[in-house]
């Protein structure tokens, strides 16, 4: 659909909040929004297309892209419209997060974090940066919302805490993400070829991050069977479908752990020797796991932003008229800067 089609559909929806089903009966329409983010070339677009059952060839995501899906959870039940947002370029365009996550939709918003298992050295910094910025933005919105609608924020916090039963031994030890969160480890087919000990370290670390954040965790690849498992968690997030109760925690197999079904005792301590653990200085469990993980997989020093290709210089987006005007405006801007600099130098700034 074009932007015009989406705009027309939105106007019709607002004018008529109830929609007719195939029998001409009126059924209520529910809306949810999901933001996909993660490593560059981690497979976010492919996962979205499979969730929406679209046979399209994935294309690189330039910045922030939007699509939507419409589905009824069961026959004769309210229809749900899911708005899918995808943030491209890894951690380079984090300021765009504020566009899809707003005070108007935060109560029906979810996040899917896609991490490339084939690049363990990029895994923790990418994950931490994306979660940190998104958490901070969501918390700012919730702080403002609490002043105008305290009942709504209380309900959101209660809903996140409900992922863990009150009698769960970790109930007071975790720090739930402010929004429903699914963490997907992609490219499991490559990851499966890693050494067993390497897979164990990565799997245990991601289990800790997911459990500590109150998130669901699933490993996937291009395999239809694994994509179906990831799709089940996303459909629960996007369309309100029934929550899966399956569980797979063996690091020799693709993990599948819905939120609230893991525990710190089952995960165990960070995978480091007793000697190494004694040398680690950390103030929080998160910091401890981070240091142990990065001792095995040192993060790359290169900045994501430096690696990002400037779209204006990308040949696939070439448009002669636009590029010519851009060149002209850049020249005018440089001339303006030179003239402004001369003006400041010529000004008499001595006070009387």
């Amino acid at each position: 659909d074009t932007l015009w089609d989406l705009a027309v559909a939105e106007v019709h929806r607002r004018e008529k909040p109830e929609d007719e089903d195939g029998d001409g009966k009126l059924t209520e329409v529910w809306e949810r929004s999901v933001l996909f983010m993660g490593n560059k070339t981690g497979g976010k677009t492919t996962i979205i297309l499979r969730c929406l059952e679209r046979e399209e060839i994935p294309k690189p995501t330039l910045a922030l892209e939007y699509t939507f899906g419409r589905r009824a959870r069961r026959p004769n039940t309210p229809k749900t419209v899911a708005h899918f947002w995808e943030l491209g370029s890894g951690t380079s365009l984090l300021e765009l997060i504020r566009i899809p996550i707003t005070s108007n939709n935060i109560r029906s918003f979810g996040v899917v974090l896609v991490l490339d298992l084939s690049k363990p050295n990029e895994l923790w910094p990418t994950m931490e940066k994306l979660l940190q910025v998104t958490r901070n933005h969501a918390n700012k919105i919730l702080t403002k919302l609490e002043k105008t609608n305290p009942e709504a924020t209380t309900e959101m916090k209660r809903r996140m805490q409900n992922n863990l039963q009150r009698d769960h031994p970790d109930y007071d030890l975790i720090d739930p993400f402010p929004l429903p969160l699914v963490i997907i480890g992609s490219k499991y087919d490559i990851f499966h070829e890693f050494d067993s000990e390497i897979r164990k370290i990565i799997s245990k670390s991601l289990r800790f991050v997911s459990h500590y954040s109150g998130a669901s965790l699933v490993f996937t690849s291009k395999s239809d069977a694994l994509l179906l498992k990831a799709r089940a968690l996303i459909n629960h997030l996007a369309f309100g479908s029934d929550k899966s109760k399956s569980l797979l925690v063996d690091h020799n197999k693709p993990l599948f752990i819905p939120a609230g079904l893991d525990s710190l005792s089952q995960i165990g301590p960070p995978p480091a020797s007793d000697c190494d653990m004694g040398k680690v200085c950390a103030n929080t469990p998160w910091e401890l796991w981070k240091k142990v993980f990065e001792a095995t997989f040192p993060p790359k020093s290169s900045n994501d932003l430096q690696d990002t290709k400037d779209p204006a210089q990308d040949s696939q987006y070439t448009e002669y008229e636009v590029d010519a005007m851009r060149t002209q405006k850049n020249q005018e801007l440089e001339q303006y800067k030179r003239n402004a600099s001369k003006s400041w130098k010529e000004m008499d700034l001595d006070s009387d």
Side-chain angles (χ1 to χ4, degrees), residues 6 9 19 56 74 89 112 118 122 138 162-163 182-183 202 222 228-229 237 253 257 261 263 284 296 347:
L6 295 175
D19 193 14
E56 301 176 18
R74 288 177 294 275
S89 301
V112 176
S118 70
E122 299 178 14
N162 281 350
N163 281 332
V182 172
I183 298 178
I202 296 174
K222 294 180 179 179
L228 281 175
K229 288 189 173 184
L237 200 65
K253 299 178 180 179
I257 311 173
L261 297 187
S263 69
T284 64
T296 305
M347 289 180 63

Side-chain angles (χ1 to χ4, degrees), residues 132-181:
Q132 181 183 47
V133 172
T134 308
R135 180 189 284 266
N136 290 343
H137 176 64
N139 282 336
K140 287 181 181 179
I141 294 177
L142 291 174
T143 299
K144 294 179 180 178
L145 186 63
E146 191 168 15
K147 297 177 181 179
T148 58
N149 193 345
E151 295 82 6
T153 53
T154 300
E155 171 60 22
M156 284 190 63
K157 292 178 181 178
R158 184 193 63 78
R159 196 167 61 215
M160 292 304 301
Q161 291 172 342
N162 281 350
N163 281 332
L164 219 59
Q165 299 298 322
R166 285 190 172 274
D167 58 354
H168 194 290
D170 304 333
Y171 187 82
D172 296 320
L173 301 177
I174 68 172
D175 183 20
F177 198 70
L179 302 173
L181 174 65

Side-chain angles (χ1 to χ4, degrees), residues 91-308:
T91 60
S92 301
L93 302 172
L94 289 173
E95 67 275 7
L96 296 180
I97 286 176
R98 67 177 185 269
I99 295 175
I101 308 177
T102 68
S103 58
N104 293 327
N105 65 12
I106 194 167
R107 283 177 285 175
S108 58
F109 208 99
V111 175
V112 176
L113 175 63
V114 181
L115 300 173
D116 188 341
L117 296 175
S118 70
K119 300 177 180 178
N121 296 85
E122 299 178 14
L123 195 151
W124 196 285
T126 298
M127 171 192 66
E128 185 173 46
K129 187 66 175 178
L130 288 169
L131 290 182
Q132 181 183 47
V133 172
T134 308
R135 180 189 284 266
N136 290 343
H137 176 64
N139 282 336
K140 287 181 181 179
I141 294 177
L142 291 174
T143 299
K144 294 179 180 178
L145 186 63
E146 191 168 15
K147 297 177 181 179
T148 58
N149 193 345
E151 295 82 6
T153 53
T154 300
E155 171 60 22
M156 284 190 63
K157 292 178 181 178
R158 184 193 63 78
R159 196 167 61 215
M160 292 304 301
Q161 291 172 342
N162 281 350
N163 281 332
L164 219 59
Q165 299 298 322
R166 285 190 172 274
D167 58 354
H168 194 290
D170 304 333
Y171 187 82
D172 296 320
L173 301 177
I174 68 172
D175 183 20
F177 198 70
L179 302 173
L181 174 65
V182 172
I183 298 178
I184 297 179
S186 65
K187 302 186 181 180
Y188 178 78
D189 50 336
I190 300 176
F191 173 76
H192 185 61
E193 301 300 322
F194 289 0
D195 179 78
S196 176
E197 192 60 29
I198 295 298
R199 284 187 278 118
K200 182 179 180 180
I201 294 173
I202 296 174
S203 296
K204 288 188 66 173
S205 298
L206 287 181
R207 283 180 65 186
F208 165 77
V209 168
S210 299
H211 182 61
Y212 191 74
S213 304
S216 298
L217 174 65
V218 60
F219 285 0
T220 189
S221 67
K222 294 180 179 179
S223 161
D224 289 339
L226 294 185
L227 280 170
L228 281 175
K229 288 189 173 184
R231 180 180 168 184
L233 292 176
I234 295 172
N235 282 346
H236 173 70
L237 200 65
F239 298 105
S241 58
D242 293 337
K243 185 177 180 180
S244 175
K245 295 183 179 179
S246 300
L247 182 67
L248 183 58
V249 297
D250 185 353
H251 74 271
N252 291 310
K253 299 178 180 179
L255 300 182
F256 184 86
I257 311 173
L261 297 187
D262 212 343
S263 69
L264 295 176
S265 61
Q266 291 178 335
I267 297 170
S273 67
D274 294 338
C275 178
D276 292 335
M277 287 291 288
K279 298 178 181 178
V280 177
C281 180
N283 297 320
T284 64
W286 182 282
E287 188 177 346
L288 174 63
W289 279 83
K290 175 183 178 180
K291 289 187 175 182
V292 171
F293 186 88
E294 292 186 341
T296 305
F297 307 107
K300 290 187 175 182
S301 58
S302 61
N303 192 319
D304 244 351
L305 189 59
Q306 295 175 344
D307 296 335
T308 301

